[in-house]
């Protein structure tokens, strides 16, 4: 019984946050829907405290809005908010790309190529979950190699706002990312061409800013 210890409170808070965030991004909890801490706590098998903590974080990140003593609800998709988020996240990706390319080894390139293959196949199959997960895996290689924690935290904070729109567009039959652009990025990284890798990264995120229009 010595191996059984209380689950740290922070883990419960993170579990609530990630589950609710993912449901909002996926559209399972739709824009405008009112969310209640007691109801979600019961569904998650948690107390209300970690759910309230998650709500506070999601309000801060723009996925929920709250009026004290009245309601907490999912924010609508607002084009200007997505454009702002894409601009910030794009700038962070450019920064980490510039730092990571000279440090990137063969193993990282292999991961990026495999992720892009999964991305292209998922887009063809219309599988938005696999496509966006593969996209994350590809770009996360550069984020990790850069070692910039501030950039990583900023990317993690604002990417969900962008993902909501990408999922919407994907559901309309489109693709918000290009396997071809990814391939150009990978080849620039393989060649050690920092400037070209940054240019392609900027093009990828500029496309997402334009998508919001």
């Amino acid at each position: 019984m010595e191996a059984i210890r209380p689950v740290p409170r922070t883990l419960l808070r993170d579990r609530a946050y990630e589950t609710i965030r993912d449901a909002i991004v996926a559209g399972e909890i739709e824009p405008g829907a009112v969310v209640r801490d007691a109801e979600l706590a019961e569904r998650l098998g948690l107390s209300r405290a970690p759910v309230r903590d998650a709500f506070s974080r999601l309000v801060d990140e723009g996925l929920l809005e709250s009026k004290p003593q009245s309601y907490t609800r999912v924010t609508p998709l607002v084009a200007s908010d997505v454009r702002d988020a894409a601009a910030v996240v794009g700038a962070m990706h450019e920064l980490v790309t510039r730092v990571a390319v000279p440090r990137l080894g063969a193993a990282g390139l292999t991961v990026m190529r495999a992720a892009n293959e999964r991305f292209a196949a998922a887009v063809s199959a219309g599988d938005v979950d696999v496509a966006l997960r593969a996209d994350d895996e590809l770009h996360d290689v550069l984020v990790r190699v850069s070692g910039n924690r501030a950039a990583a935290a900023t990317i993690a904070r604002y990417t969900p706002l962008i993902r909501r729109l990408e999922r919407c567009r994907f559901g309309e039959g489109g693709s918000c990312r290009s396997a071809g652009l990814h391939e150009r990025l990978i080849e620039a990284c393989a060649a050690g061409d920092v400037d070209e890798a940054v240019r392609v990264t900027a093009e990828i995120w500029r496309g997402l800013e334009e998508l919001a229009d």
Side-chain angles (χ1 to χ4, degrees):
M1 295 298 289
E2 291 181 0
I4 300 177
R5 295 180 175 86
V7 176
R9 191 177 188 83
T10 54
L11 294 183
L12 296 179
R13 179 188 61 201
D14 291 345
R15 174 188 167 194
Y17 163 75
E18 291 168 4
T19 302
I20 298 168
R21 177 202 62 195
D22 291 348
I24 292 171
V25 171
E28 295 170 9
I29 307 177
E30 297 180 350
V34 172
V35 291
R36 298 177 176 84
D37 56 6
E39 179 182 332
L40 285 175
E42 182 177 358
R43 290 175 61 183
L44 292 171
L46 300 172
S47 69
R48 295 171 67 176
V51 174
R52 285 196 295 266
D53 287 342
F55 279 8
S56 178
R57 187 171 171 184
L58 291 164
V59 167
D60 187 51
E61 294 179 1
L63 291 175
L64 291 178
E65 57 187 5
S66 181
K67 183 177 180 181
Q69 309 302 320
S70 182
Y71 62 77
T72 300
R73 65 189 179 193
V74 179
T75 56
L77 272 170
V78 178
S80 61
D81 290 345
V82 177
R83 280 197 303 272
D84 291 346
V88 170
V89 172
M92 293 299 99
H93 275 291
E94 290 178 48
L95 185 156
V96 300
T97 297
R98 188 171 296 282
V99 174
V101 170
R103 304 177 180 177
L104 191 61
L109 289 167
T110 297
V111 173
M112 292 175 73
R113 289 193 174 101
N116 198 34
E117 289 176 4
R118 290 194 300 276
F119 173 83
V123 169
S124 297
D127 191 332
V128 62
D129 291 322
V130 173
L132 295 183
R133 188 159 57 246
D135 184 82
D136 281 337
E137 291 171 7
L138 188 155
H139 291 284
D140 281 351
V141 171
L142 297 174
V143 175
R144 289 196 305 273
V145 171
S146 77
N148 190 319
R149 293 184 180 181
T154 302
I155 289 168
R157 175 173 180 172
Y158 291 108
T159 295
L161 286 172
I162 304 165
R163 288 301 195 214
R164 292 176 72 194
L165 181 63
E166 286 186 286
R167 283 179 173 275
C168 179
R169 293 291 184 262
F170 201 108
E172 294 169 354
S175 165
C176 301
R177 302 289 181 98
S178 165
L181 281 175
H182 286 161
E183 187 60 35
R184 283 175 52 198
L185 173 61
I186 294 167
E187 292 310 309
C189 291
D193 190 336
V194 174
D195 290 339
E196 176 63 11
V198 172
R199 278 194 293 270
V200 176
T201 298
E203 185 175 347
I204 290 171
W205 290 94
R206 186 165 56 248
L208 287 173
E209 288 185 62
E210 293 170 355
L211 183 70
D213 295 328

